[in-house]
Amino acid sequence: MPVLKFPENFLWGTATSAYQIEGGNVYSDWEDYYPAGIACDHYHKYQEDFDWIVKLNQNAYRFSIEWARIEKEQGKFDQKEIEHYRKILLSLKKRNIKAMLTLFHFTLPKWFQEKGGFTKQENIFYFKRFANRIFDEYKNLVDFWVIINEPQVYAAQGYLLRIWPPKKRNPILYLKVLRNLILAHKIIYKGFHQKQSQVRIGIAKNNQFFEPYNPRSNFDKLAVKIASRWQNHYFLNKIKKHLDFIGLNYYFHNKIKFPFFIKNDNKIVSDVGWEVYPKGIYFTLKDLKQYNLPIYITENGVADKDDRLREKFIKDHLYWIWKAIQEKVDVRGYFYWSLLDNFEWEKGFKPRFGLIEVDYKTLERKPRKSAFYYAQICKTNHLAT
Ligand code: BGC
């Protein structure tokens, strides 16, 4: 059986976000639209969850901090909650797990949203104040910082498609949000670097692999070029001088028929109907090589309640990541989405992305078979094909 080795010190982990797993985030803007209730009650069960990370041989963990918990009211920082996240970080350190912390993963304090959220440039002040406070508190406990998760997804869902809070359909606001997220990223990046020069800061960027529906059609090729420029490169180009690494969230492959119709073969689909197309991660990584930065796969996963696809999903994606590494793409880690089943945004609790199954009645955790498969890879740092 050929064995594919990964680089030394490769990070093997999983990813989560606060609102999706913690429970009790009643001060967040999402609460009024899609309440997550107690979710996985990770807020109280984090020790147990981190024990699973260790048992499953992972050496890294990506998670987020809920701003609305820490700053329930504008300007009032809650020391008790700051200590809670300190305990989380210390628990990871104690277990020798590298911590990647995201500052903004789709949810915001209600008061910030009421002020216009990221549509207003002057509101960046509040996000920066929160970010700086978090940095000052935890700078010695965090290994990697992600300022923003999937900015373009956030802006589109909230300001064009009316799906996520604040459920608007307004292209002007959409563009303002993007512009302000770019500004916020740069300002915070510079501030952190002034405080600590060797700090490592990135973004979690959702990039897709686009292909022409008809490879011989110049129109389809043009549509692919435009889609890729906008979706994959617009934001990155704006912040590329303010990045120490790129985090890639890879989920989608889309065949595009001119002008912008998506026509996928959909041979294998997950429980939420998303096509599984592992080779796309290879092309996406090759395409990111142009930035000349270290890359971490900050998310990649599949909704698969019965665990019928997950093992092969992981294996095939890792194969293509390995292949990109052989071709000199500097990939340094992989975070499977997600450690646990969790609250999948507007879709609620139905989609099951977890390596670990959660029984939402008893809150009992039970690793799926694929979790042990992944654990073997994490342990050996290689993939047996
Ligand atoms: C998001 C996660 C989400 C996952 C699966 C990513 O776009 O960052 O929060 O759960 O996709 O949909």
Side-chain angles (χ1 to χ4, degrees), residues 310-361:
R310 196 171 282 104
E311 179 172 325
K312 186 160 165 46
F313 179 99
I314 293 172
K315 181 180 184 181
D316 293 350
H317 281 84
L318 288 177
Y319 168 76
W320 287 110
I321 293 166
W322 176 85
K323 178 107 172 95
I325 296 172
Q326 303 321 296
E327 294 171 24
K328 302 275 174 290
V329 184
D330 185 8
V331 186
R332 301 192 183 178
Y334 177 84
F335 294 78
Y336 177 82
W337 181 274
S338 178
L339 173 65
L340 305 167
D341 287 341
N342 60 48
F343 180 75
E344 179 54 24
W345 306 115
E346 82 285 1
K347 297 188 185 74
F349 289 102
K350 209 160 173 252
R352 304 279 188 150
F353 278 87
L355 284 175
I356 298 174
E357 185 180 352
V358 176
D359 178 332
Y360 290 112
K361 285 199 194 101

Side-chain angles (χ1 to χ4, degrees), residues 164-183:
W164 292 356
K167 288 203 177 182
K168 302 226 184 301
R169 192 188 304 283
N170 183 329
I172 309 263
L173 290 183
Y174 165 76
L175 291 173
K176 281 190 177 165
V177 167
L178 281 185
R179 188 200 57 190
N180 291 331
L181 288 175
I182 288 164
L183 276 172

Side-chain angles (χ1 to χ4, degrees), residues 41 80 142 171 207 294 310 347-348 353:
D41 199 23
K80 189 177 134 265
V142 173
N207 275 17
R310 196 171 282 104
K347 297 188 185 74
F353 278 87

Side-chain angles (χ1 to χ4, degrees), residues 20 105-106 149-150 249 251 274 299 337 344-345 353:
Q20 292 178 273
H105 195 126
F106 300 155
N149 181 68
E150 301 189 351
N249 292 2
Y251 292 95
W274 298 356
E299 283 182 40
W337 181 274
E344 179 54 24
W345 306 115
F353 278 87

Side-chain angles (χ1 to χ4, degrees), residues 65-127:
I65 282 199
E66 193 71 5
W67 179 7
R69 253 187 208 285
I70 296 212
E71 197 178 350
K72 296 179 175 68
E73 280 175 60
Q74 182 191 321
K76 290 195 182 146
F77 286 82
D78 186 331
Q79 198 56 38
K80 189 177 134 265
E81 300 294 0
I82 290 178
E83 294 318 316
H84 171 78
Y85 287 108
R86 196 187 318 282
K87 277 189 228 148
I88 289 215
L89 283 158
L90 286 168
S91 304
L92 291 171
K93 216 176 198 53
K94 198 175 87 191
R95 290 171 176 79
N96 236 330
I97 301 165
K98 292 254 182 297
M100 183 180 279
L101 194 157
T102 309
L103 290 171
F104 169 45
H105 195 126
F106 300 155
T107 54
L108 294 167
K110 283 183 193 174
W111 62 262
F112 181 78
Q113 192 60 272
E114 277 154 22
K115 280 181 168 307
F118 285 110
T119 63
K120 300 224 173 92
Q121 190 173 333
E122 64 264 30
N123 289 351
I124 295 173
F125 164 82
Y126 301 104
F127 183 47

